[in-house]
Amino acid sequence: MSKKYMEHFRVFIEAQSLLKKIAQHRDHIEEHQKRIQFVEKNREKRKEIKEENQQQVISMGKDISSLEKELFSKEKDLSRANENLHKVTSESQVKALENEIHKLTPLIEELQEEILEKLGRCEEIESEISKAEQFLEGSQVTLVELEEEVSLDIEKEEAKIKNYSQRIDFLLEGLESNNRESFLQTQKSAKDGQVIAFLNNRKCSRCRFEASSSQVAEVENARNIEFCQSCSRILIPSTINS
Ligand SMILES: [Zn+2]
């Protein structure tokens, strides 16, 4: 087993380790983007609540004004009844008016209470709205700062990724074209970015599929590129590191 035959395997291993680094930097980019998404999500939630609150204030305002109209008319009825009480002469008329006054008084009190309660609730909601507005204003500033920071961070990550990609290209350029193509084709189909697998005791290190004796021999003599029959990754003899 000549070392020279193994050379492309070493290149594959190095390219794979650079691909892993690229994947790590892609993860970093995703984390940076998540920081922004987190702030945006919070703002979105707060905005929704604020809008719901604003709708509630509008509808409560309508309720209050109709309650006030009702109160106004009941109060008018009451004062008219009180005035008439001094004017009427018959006992039945007095009784009727007294009955009316008796009914109107608690109704008016109830209406006043209900209006006060709704006004209080409105005030609470309005204070929630103004808190939300302050939050939205403050977090807008945070968001702009964060976006600047994140875009710088991402730029740095992209630069590193570019550097690793160039190193991979350079490595692969040094290979015979069929070896290079094997790597690139396998890379395309490997969704998790794992292009190579080691053959440990006949088993693929990625999927544990057992290779045939003849395939094991092919992998070890390293003249052809062999692929795992289950996961399609390029098989590399684990003895390469020994
Ligand atoms: Zn496999």
Side-chain angles (χ1 to χ4, degrees):
M1 180 163 58
S2 150
K3 281 277 172 194
K4 194 167 179 288
Y5 283 128
M6 291 288 188
E7 203 44 47
H8 60 291
F9 285 153
R10 296 191 188 285
V11 170
F12 288 167
I13 292 169
E14 200 177 339
Q16 179 70 74
S17 83
L18 293 170
L19 282 176
K20 190 178 170 191
K21 290 205 165 96
I22 288 177
Q24 284 166 348
H25 288 292
R26 293 221 182 287
D27 286 346
H28 293 166
I29 288 177
E30 213 174 295
E31 280 160 27
H32 290 312
Q33 285 163 339
K34 275 189 186 147
R35 288 161 66 202
I36 289 182
Q37 285 159 7
F38 178 77
V39 176
E40 282 175 338
K41 236 185 189 172
N42 274 343
R43 283 174 51 79
E44 215 40 62
K45 254 192 246 163
R46 205 63 188 265
K47 237 183 230 173
E48 270 172 35
I49 295 172
K50 189 190 104 174
E51 278 158 17
E52 277 166 26
N53 282 340
Q54 283 169 328
Q55 285 305 317
Q56 216 179 338
V57 167
I58 290 170
S59 102
M60 281 177 99
K62 283 179 191 159
D63 288 351
I64 290 169
S65 89
S66 86
L67 288 169
E68 278 171 342
K69 265 182 208 156
E70 205 185 330
L71 175 65
F72 182 71
S73 111
K74 294 270 184 281
E75 280 171 340
K76 228 167 144 185
D77 291 347
L78 181 62
S79 70
R80 196 186 302 123
N82 275 321
E83 277 166 29
N84 288 341
L85 201 54
H86 303 295
K87 293 177 193 160
V88 295
T89 46
S90 85
E91 202 171 317
S92 67
Q93 283 172 317
V94 171
K95 192 130 196 153
L97 285 169
E98 276 174 349
N99 263 345
E100 201 189 344
I101 291 165
H102 190 71
K103 270 187 213 159
L104 281 170
T105 310
L107 272 179
I108 286 169
E109 275 169 16
E110 267 172 44
L111 280 168
Q112 284 168 335
E113 263 171 47
E114 203 180 342
I115 288 167
L116 274 181
E117 199 205 339
K118 281 196 194 292
L119 282 171
R121 182 80 193 102
C122 255
E123 225 170 272
E124 279 170 28
I125 297 171
E126 271 162 353
S127 121
E128 283 302 312
I129 292 171
S130 81
K131 272 187 216 159
E133 275 162 357
Q134 278 170 14
F135 170 83
L136 288 169
E137 235 171 78
S139 64
Q140 177 61 35
V141 176
T142 311
L143 188 62
V144 170
E145 286 167 358
L146 190 61
E147 276 168 343
E148 275 173 31
E149 194 185 309
V150 162
S151 93
L152 280 178
D153 287 337
I154 288 178
E155 230 171 78
K156 282 180 203 158
E157 300 290 347
E158 299 277 16
K160 283 175 190 158
I161 289 172
K162 195 178 167 196
N163 180 274
Y164 288 127
S165 300
Q166 284 169 342
R167 280 167 67 184
I168 292 172
D169 290 346
F170 180 75
L171 279 170
L172 295 180
E173 270 166 32
L175 289 173
E176 280 176 32
S177 67
N178 58 331
N179 290 340
R180 179 169 56 242
E181 279 314 304
S182 293
F183 190 90
L184 291 174
Q185 285 304 319
T186 311
Q187 189 189 353
K188 263 184 212 163
S189 57
K191 289 193 177 75
D192 62 355
Q194 300 293 341
V195 183
I196 59 170
F198 289 98
L199 205 51
N200 279 325
N201 299 322
R202 305 179 58 155
K203 280 183 183 158
C204 167
S205 62
R206 293 285 169 204
C207 76
R208 305 283 151 205
F209 185 81
E210 197 170 318
S212 66
S213 306
S214 62
Q215 194 176 32
V216 172
E218 282 297 317
V219 170
E220 277 174 2
N221 77 34
R223 265 188 290 259
N224 295 314
I225 302 285
E226 290 292 320
F227 302 92
C228 171
Q229 281 174 28
S230 171
C231 71
S232 305
R233 294 188 174 92
I234 296 174
L235 291 172
I236 291 180
S238 58
T239 50
I240 192 161
N241 294 318
S242 59

